[in-house]
Structures are given as C-alpha cells and as structure tokens.
C-alpha cells in the first residue's frame, strides 16, 4: 500500500487539494479532521465542555464513528447518523481544535486512521499525520498559506453559500486555531522532519492540486 500524509494549518486547502489529488491518482482520501469534528459535534450536542476532560473521555465510550465512501466521496457516520454536513461549522471547528489536545481523543482515533492506511492506497490529511499517525508514510507534505489568504478563501466560500461572513472574525479564529494546534502538548502541528513544505498563498487551486499530484507521482515512479 502507498500512503501520503498531508498536514497543515486550518484553511490551507488540505481537504480540497488532497481529495482532488486522490481522485486523479485512484487513491482513497481520508479527511482525519472530520473525525475530530465528529467528536466535537458529539460534545456540543451533549453539552460537554472541552475543559471537562473526564466528561469528554466518558463520552468517547458512547461514540461510534465510521467513514464510508459513496462513489469515492467520504461520508462521516456518527452513532448511525450521517453528519458530513453538520460538522462543517465554525463552532464545530473550534471545538475540534480544543478536544484534539486531549490524549484520550487522539488515542481513540489513532487505530481507526492507521487501519485505513494498512488496507488502502491513501492520501490522508490532518495536523499530525506525517509526524504521528503515519510516520512511515511514503510521501509527507506540509501544506500551508498565510493566515490572511486562508481567511479570504473561507470568507469567499461562505459568501458563495449565501452567508454574510465577518472576515475579521474568521481571521481571528484562524490565528487562534493556529496557536492552539501548534502549541498543544500532544502531537503539535509542525512539518515532519522529512516533509516537503508547499506554500499555496500565491497559487490557484488548480496549481496547488497539480503541485501536490506531481510530488506524489514523482515518489511513485
């Protein structure tokens, strides 16, 4: 099996780029951030605070998360319900960042993530794939972009959905999440020692996808 780890900060385009590259290469795409978001949604729905570690850990005993693929598209099933759309809110995003600092949460998801890579050719994206989840991945990429460009992209995405986003609030949230992800004690966000850093600040989406696909294809030959 051939494995590709793509890490990077929130809003860098990891999911969109990894999904497109996986489709072009015939790989399975695994969005690990969706797994953390699912746990975050569970906590929100059940009134569990991210600061209440014992309640989060108890909640894990009641959580069942599955990833299913419908025509190659990943869907997230939480306790029997498809929550693929429900987990894409800013509130869930921030909760995911907060609970991802807990060792119990990361341990809970580690086996699930590695299991996919053992059975499939995968492109897996997240915050610690190349450093912790798949340290022996065939290709490790750290995808990044300036906080401002990431905030602009997110603002545009929300506007295209008919929403009226606050750019300054989005930028503030991105910077806060960057700090949380890079300063947590367990598996902080950082490039793998042998990772390839790709900055997409000045690249279009198509250019970013092509760049990643070229890197992966080069390692496969």
């Amino acid at each position: 099996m051939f494995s590709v780890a793509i890490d990077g900060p929130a809003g860098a385009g990891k999911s969109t780029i990894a999904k497109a590259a996986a489709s072009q290469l015939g790989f399975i795409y695994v969005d690990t951030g969706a797994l953390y978001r699912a746990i975050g949604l569970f906590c929100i729905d059940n009134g569990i605070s991210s600061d209440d570690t014992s309640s989060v850990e108890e909640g894990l005993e009641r959580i069942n998360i599955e990833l299913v693929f419908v025509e190659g598209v990943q869907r997230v099933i939480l306790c029997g319900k498809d929550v693929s759309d429900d987990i894409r809110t800013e509130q869930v995003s921030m909760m995911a960042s907060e609970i991802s600092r807990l060792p119990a949460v990361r341990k809970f998801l580690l086996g699930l993530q590695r299991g996919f890579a053992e059975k499939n050719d995968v492109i897996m994206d997240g915050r610690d794939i190349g450093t912790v989840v798949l340290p022996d991945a065939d290709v490790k990429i750290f995808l990044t972009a300036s906080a401002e460009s990431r905030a602009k992209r997110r603002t545009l995405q929300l506007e295209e959905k008919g929403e009226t986003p606050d750019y300054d609030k989005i930028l503030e949230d991105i910077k806060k999440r960057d700090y949380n992800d890079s300063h947590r004690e367990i598996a902080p966000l950082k490039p793998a020692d042998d990772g390839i850093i790709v900055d997409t600040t000045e690249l279009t989406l198509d250019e970013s996808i092509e760049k990643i696909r070229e890197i992966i294809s080069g390692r496969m030959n």
Side-chain angles (χ1 to χ4, degrees), residues 192-204:
D193 291 339
D194 54 349
I196 301 169
I197 298 176
V198 177
D199 190 323
T200 68
T201 301
E202 302 297 331
L203 300 179
T204 65

Side-chain angles (χ1 to χ4, degrees), residues 15-214:
S15 297
T16 302
I17 293 169
K19 190 185 302 180
S23 177
Q24 292 177 13
L25 294 165
F27 282 28
I28 289 291
Y29 163 65
V30 181
D31 173 10
T32 63
L35 301 174
Y36 288 97
R37 286 172 177 266
I39 297 177
L41 177 63
F42 179 90
C43 291
I44 292 171
D45 287 348
N46 288 274
I48 300 173
S49 169
S50 60
D51 295 327
D52 188 348
T53 303
S54 61
S55 292
V56 174
E57 292 178 352
E58 289 172 4
L60 293 174
E61 298 176 6
R62 296 184 280 130
I63 292 177
N64 177 262
I65 302 176
E66 298 175 86
L67 293 182
V68 298
F69 295 86
V70 181
E71 297 181 353
V73 178
Q74 175 183 287
R75 305 298 293 180
V76 183
I77 310 301
L78 173 64
C79 299
K81 177 186 176 183
D82 187 336
V83 297
S84 305
D85 297 326
D86 300 334
I87 61 176
R88 299 300 172 183
T89 68
E90 293 302 316
Q91 182 186 19
V92 172
S93 177
M94 290 307 298
M95 176 62 84
S97 178
E98 291 166 4
I99 58 98
S100 69
R101 293 176 293 176
L102 304 178
V105 171
R106 306 198 75 81
K107 181 179 180 181
F108 177 80
L109 293 176
L110 186 60
L112 180 62
Q113 296 170 56
R114 286 180 173 170
F116 276 104
E118 290 172 359
K119 300 173 184 176
N120 306 279
D121 292 326
V122 299
I123 295 182
M124 189 177 295
D125 78 330
R127 300 290 189 279
D128 64 344
I129 309 305
T131 54
V132 176
V133 179
L134 301 178
D136 297 320
D138 297 286
V139 181
K140 300 175 188 177
I141 295 170
F142 191 86
L143 193 67
T144 189
S146 71
E148 290 74 18
S149 68
R150 287 182 278 141
K152 288 178 183 176
R153 292 170 186 172
R154 181 58 178 161
T155 299
L156 182 59
Q157 287 175 345
L158 294 174
E159 288 176 342
E160 290 174 345
K161 293 180 179 180
E163 300 180 30
T164 53
D166 182 335
Y167 168 81
D168 291 331
K169 178 64 165 57
I170 291 173
L171 178 59
E172 179 184 345
D173 286 346
I174 283 177
K175 289 181 176 180
K176 180 179 179 181
R177 183 157 189 186
D178 284 352
Y179 183 86
N180 286 345
D181 290 344
S182 60
H183 286 78
R184 65 189 179 215
E185 287 187 28
I186 306 296
L189 171 67
K190 64 179 182 179
D193 291 339
D194 54 349
I196 301 169
I197 298 176
V198 177
D199 190 323
T200 68
T201 301
E202 302 297 331
L203 300 179
T204 65
L205 176 58
D206 287 342
E207 289 171 339
S208 299
I209 294 170
E210 179 61 18
K211 178 78 171 178
I212 297 306
R213 192 187 64 78
E214 287 180 352

